[in-house]
Amino acid sequence: MALNMEQIDALKNFCALILCGHNEEVFRRCRECMENADDEYGGIPEVLYVLSGNDSDTDDPFENTADEESQLVKPQYYFISSDAGAPGLEDFFWFIENVKTARGLDFALDEERFSDDDCIVEWLAELSAQLEDLYIVDFDGASEDYHFTIMNKDDCEKAMALFKKMTAGIEGYSYSSFLITADFEG
């Protein structure tokens, strides 16, 4: 897919905002994902996986996830990609702590309010209820996975606007982003 300048700029700024700074190698890989997309998803699922540290192995004919040493981004550090049935609660806390550290956020969680019997949908709703002046933003990745991070209001609004610009030229799938709130039901 040929990207226009607005999409390229939006992708570059989106990557930098998610990763708390520009990383040329990550931007080039994400641009390659979009430019080489040959389906109705326009490479967006791949971009979101790259940013979460779950990039595929381009040498694998089945394109399984590359090993951790081959990732351009530390896995689940700035951006989390997880399906509704996973991860375990301890992994979820680990992911959230990674995002908190990477983004320089200051918040405390009451871990007692989370249950192992619940899944990420309930955990995200509870997390949102506990955050003050911070937002969980999820980006539609044309999959069953949630692709999200935690940001302040200004960064959240910028990220959502950039996502809209970078996905605007994709025909065949309509992308969106949304805030996860305390009443989130998946």
Side-chain angles (χ1 to χ4, degrees):
M1 168 175 120
L3 301 178
N4 62 42
M5 284 308 296
E6 186 174 28
Q7 286 174 299
I8 292 169
D9 288 342
L11 176 62
K12 185 175 187 174
N13 291 326
F14 181 78
C15 291
L17 188 57
I18 296 297
L19 299 179
C20 303
H22 180 66
N23 180 317
E24 186 64 27
E25 189 175 13
V26 172
F27 165 66
R28 281 196 317 265
R29 173 69 179 122
C30 290
R31 183 174 175 177
E32 173 187 296
C33 290
M34 289 185 73
E35 289 176 335
N36 295 328
D38 57 358
D39 60 20
E40 70 272 24
Y41 303 114
I44 296 301
E46 291 83 2
V47 166
L48 297 176
Y49 287 119
V50 168
L51 294 173
S52 70
N54 291 297
D55 194 6
S56 61
D57 183 347
T58 55
D59 294 330
D60 180 345
F62 301 107
E63 294 191 15
N64 290 310
T65 303
D67 60 22
E68 193 169 330
E69 295 80 40
S70 301
Q71 298 296 333
L72 297 176
V73 175
K74 192 171 182 179
Q76 311 287 12
Y77 200 74
Y78 296 94
F79 194 73
I80 300 169
S81 292
S82 180
D83 68 32
L89 185 55
E90 290 305 313
D91 287 337
F92 178 77
F93 288 144
W94 182 76
F95 296 159
I96 299 306
E97 191 61 36
N98 287 345
V99 169
K100 179 180 170 183
T101 300
R103 301 197 73 75
L105 302 173
D106 183 29
F107 60 87
L109 289 183
D110 179 358
E111 293 184 7
E112 296 298 315
R113 297 192 52 133
F114 294 84
S115 170
D116 281 320
D117 295 331
D118 292 335
C119 70
I120 196 166
V121 173
E122 290 90 1
W123 300 335
L124 287 169
E126 179 57 40
L127 176 63
S128 178
Q130 292 188 31
L131 295 176
E132 291 182 25
D133 300 322
L134 294 172
Y135 299 87
I136 304 169
V137 60
D138 186 80
F139 300 94
D140 175 0
S143 71
E144 297 296 316
D145 292 352
Y146 294 98
H147 305 277
F148 66 94
T149 193
I150 303 168
M151 302 177 138
N152 65 43
K153 183 179 181 179
D154 289 342
D155 285 348
C156 181
E157 289 172 353
K158 288 177 196 171
M160 293 172 79
L162 291 167
F163 189 71
K164 184 176 182 176
K165 285 181 185 177
M166 69 188 229
T167 61
I170 299 173
E171 295 180 21
Y173 191 84
S174 180
Y175 284 99
S176 64
S177 57
F178 58 92
L179 296 178
I180 293 177
T181 60
D183 61 353
F184 181 61
E185 294 182 0

